[in-house]
Amino acid sequence: MKTNLTALLTALLLVFGLTAWTFADEKDKEVKIKTSAICEMCKERIERNLSFEKGVKEATLDVESKVVTVKYNPQKTDVNKIKSNITKTGYDADELAATTEGYNKLPSCCKKGGMSHH
């Protein structure tokens, strides 16, 4: 009897553990957004500002391709909010242009046509 109870409890824990892991895995989403970033300073600025966005788990900008990959919780944020964060930071986000206010705050080297300082 004790062996059956132990087996049953082990099976239940396994099922609940896998279910919880599956839901946690499904909860996070990933999006790739093309930006107008130029250099490492741009990378740091975009990644830092996205880290303050509620629901963003991770943001990594590849300077060469200008694509930022964002992992996020869709129950706390969405792609539009993430793009808005990037445009307010001063950079284009896919089809959305940077806000004038954000763009004007960028150092001149990080503006379109600015020199790269790898």
Side-chain angles (χ1 to χ4, degrees):
M1 177 83 173
K2 199 171 193 178
T3 305
N4 287 343
L5 184 59
T6 303
L8 178 63
L9 287 174
T10 303
L12 285 174
L13 285 173
L14 183 62
V15 167
F16 284 121
L18 287 174
T19 303
W21 177 76
T22 302
F23 284 130
D25 196 39
E26 288 176 7
K27 200 177 356 177
D28 294 343
K29 289 193 175 185
E30 183 177 287
V31 64
K32 293 184 182 292
I33 300 169
K34 181 80 169 176
T35 71
S36 54
I38 296 171
C39 65
E40 289 297 318
M41 283 176 52
C42 299
K43 173 182 171 65
E44 290 171 15
R45 187 175 292 106
I46 289 172
E47 290 176 357
R48 181 185 64 241
N49 285 355
L50 284 171
S51 74
F52 293 116
E53 182 73 36
K54 185 178 179 180
V56 170
K57 306 273 184 154
E58 183 182 328
T60 309
L61 178 85
D62 177 57
V63 176
E64 193 174 319
S65 68
K66 300 181 181 218
V67 173
V68 62
T69 303
V70 183
K71 291 181 183 167
Y72 66 98
N73 179 337
Q75 294 176 338
K76 295 184 179 180
T77 193
D78 59 40
V79 174
N80 291 331
K81 289 179 185 174
I82 293 168
K83 286 183 180 182
S84 177
N85 179 298
I86 295 168
T87 61
K88 288 176 184 174
T89 301
Y91 300 92
D92 297 346
D94 286 339
E95 73 286 351
L96 301 176
T99 65
T100 303
E101 185 180 346
Y103 184 77
N104 288 340
K105 290 180 182 177
L106 294 178
S108 58
C109 59
C110 292
K111 293 182 178 178
K112 295 175 189 173
M115 296 301 294
S116 176
H117 39 227
H118 302 275

